[in-house]
Amino acid sequence: MSAPDSAPGRPALPPVREILENALVVALPMRTRFRGITRREAMIFRGPAGWGEFAPFVEYDDEESAAWLAAGIEAAYLGHVPAQRDSVPVNATVPAVAAEQVAEIVARYPGATTAKVKVAEPGQSLSDDVDRVAAARAVIPRVRIDANGKWTVPQAISAIRAIGDVEYAEQPCATVDELALVRRAVDVPIAADESIRKAADPMRVVSADAADIAVLKVAPLGGMRAVIRLSELIGLPVVVSSALDTAVGVAAGVAAAAGLDSLDLACGLGTGSLFTTDVAEPFVPECGVLVPRWFGSTVDLAPEALAAPERTAWWHDRLRRCHDVLSRRGGAAEFVKP
């Protein structure tokens, strides 16, 4: 196995056959339903620099998913980025659970001083959100909320005012224009996530004056180096978050956060506690921080974590299609939209 040959602009792709020969497909059970799923499917594969992850959510199309493959190839073939710090502060992540479950979940993040609370869950009410956030405030000093773009502008304004003081509201509405309207109507800072990672132009949140904070995720943006470069371009305070990654993906997220020139906010990288088992020793916060760690030649994978044969075949086919997308674009490493 060898690193891809260099080409003008970006290295060539490793062959599909080489990736698949060193790949495993997993289905990790989760403690609580999160983002509508109870098992997280992912492909991990080993390269000369360690392990990479390819785990776009199953509903994503190939064009969007190709960036996730670029991120996995970067990790496996180029390795981590140089660190600017030896630890990364992380928030607790609270799914859309009943208020009485919040304290138990926050306790899984020892030393954390910030919690991100999911709100706007389909089938739940605003009073559920208010109660969940209040329960989080009772056990942790700072609370931020994440609506995943599910509110309309009037709903977002009403909900943010009802929920009260939070560190920020992440992606209250779906579009950049809607974020800008909400930002002008409320006193709470607005963070952009999907409006950056799913946008044809991630810089539009800046030109539209639509956000105070940028939430950046390694896999959807094409890799650690892409995140660092975009953080420099976007000029907003940055939070590096997990895309419900396995331990392999979290390693890349922690490396990216550790590689930023400036990091003033807790990152959303403590999501390993959402799984009952992982592909390797999970990243567990101690004193509210994670320490960068890279997975070299081995992972510690429980046999029961392996996906069923039909799902493995599905992921192999998906990787081939996304590899074709990257091939048309000219490469994988340092893939980024700007």
Side-chain angles (χ1 to χ4, degrees):
M1 183 190 306
S2 59
D5 295 331
S6 294
R10 54 179 66 140
L13 290 169
V16 168
R17 172 188 51 77
E18 181 173 296
I19 297 173
L20 293 180
E21 283 176 351
N22 296 281
L24 297 167
V25 178
V26 299
L28 305 181
M30 303 178 63
R31 297 181 191 279
T32 306
R33 179 177 292 274
F34 189 83
R35 206 187 169 280
I37 60 176
T38 56
R39 295 183 76 86
R40 177 65 164 123
E41 292 188 345
M43 176 185 284
I44 60 171
F45 53 88
R46 182 169 53 86
W51 287 84
E53 177 181 291
F54 172 57
F57 294 105
V58 295
E59 68 271 21
Y60 288 5
D61 65 24
D62 295 343
E63 293 292 326
E64 182 173 0
S65 300
W68 298 62
L69 179 56
I73 291 171
E74 178 204 39
Y77 284 82
L78 296 183
H80 60 80
V81 293
Q84 306 296 321
R85 58 191 55 79
D86 58 12
S87 64
V88 173
V90 295
N91 62 245
T93 299
V94 179
V97 296
E100 55 267 25
Q101 295 177 262
V102 169
E104 176 188 353
I105 290 170
V106 172
R108 299 173 190 159
Y109 300 82
T113 58
T114 304
K116 180 169 84 169
V117 179
K118 290 288 186 177
V119 294
E121 180 78 2
Q124 295 187 0
S125 67
L126 176 56
S127 64
D128 294 324
D129 293 338
V130 170
D131 291 347
R132 188 180 310 112
V133 173
R137 284 198 193 99
V139 293
I140 201 163
R142 283 186 296 278
V143 176
R144 52 184 66 158
I145 59 173
D146 182 9
N148 289 115
K150 291 176 181 155
W151 285 325
T152 65
V153 170
Q155 286 172 336
I157 293 169
S158 296
I160 290 170
R161 289 174 176 168
I163 288 169
D165 183 48
V166 290
E167 185 180 36
Y168 61 73
E170 181 176 331
Q171 201 68 41
C173 302
T175 71
V176 170
D177 290 339
E178 289 172 325
L179 292 189
L181 290 171
V182 173
R183 185 170 181 260
R184 289 196 289 270
V186 299
D187 295 329
V188 168
I190 300 298
D193 174 12
E194 288 90 341
S195 288
I196 295 172
R197 63 180 168 89
K198 287 179 170 285
D201 177 11
M203 297 300 293
R204 189 159 177 267
V205 294
V206 177
S207 61
D209 203 23
D212 304 279
I213 295 150
V215 178
L216 305 183
K217 296 179 178 178
V218 167
L221 290 170
M224 298 166 281
R225 292 159 179 84
V227 163
I228 290 172
R229 185 161 71 252
L230 184 54
S231 74
E232 295 166 351
L233 290 171
I234 210 161
L236 296 173
V238 166
V239 171
V240 178
S241 284
S242 161
L244 198 55
D245 305 321
T246 73
V248 166
V250 171
V254 175
L260 295 173
D261 286 338
S262 176
L263 184 66
D264 298 321
L265 298 168
C267 289
L269 294 166
T271 53
S273 67
L274 297 173
F275 301 128
T276 60
T277 189
D278 209 327
V279 300
E281 182 183 353
F283 282 80
V284 178
E286 293 186 13
C287 302
V289 303
L290 293 176
V291 175
R293 173 163 49 95
W294 201 248
F295 297 106
S297 60
T298 60
V299 293
D300 183 19
L301 181 62
E304 61 269 22
L306 290 172
E310 63 272 17
R311 295 306 300 164
T312 296
W314 186 90
W315 277 93
H316 283 206
D317 288 342
R318 190 184 203 190
L319 183 138
R320 291 186 184 97
R321 298 194 307 269
C322 293
H323 190 279
D324 286 344
V325 173
L326 290 181
S327 182
R328 294 197 303 271
R329 293 174 179 172
E334 300 195 60
F335 173 96
V336 71
K337 295 173 185 174

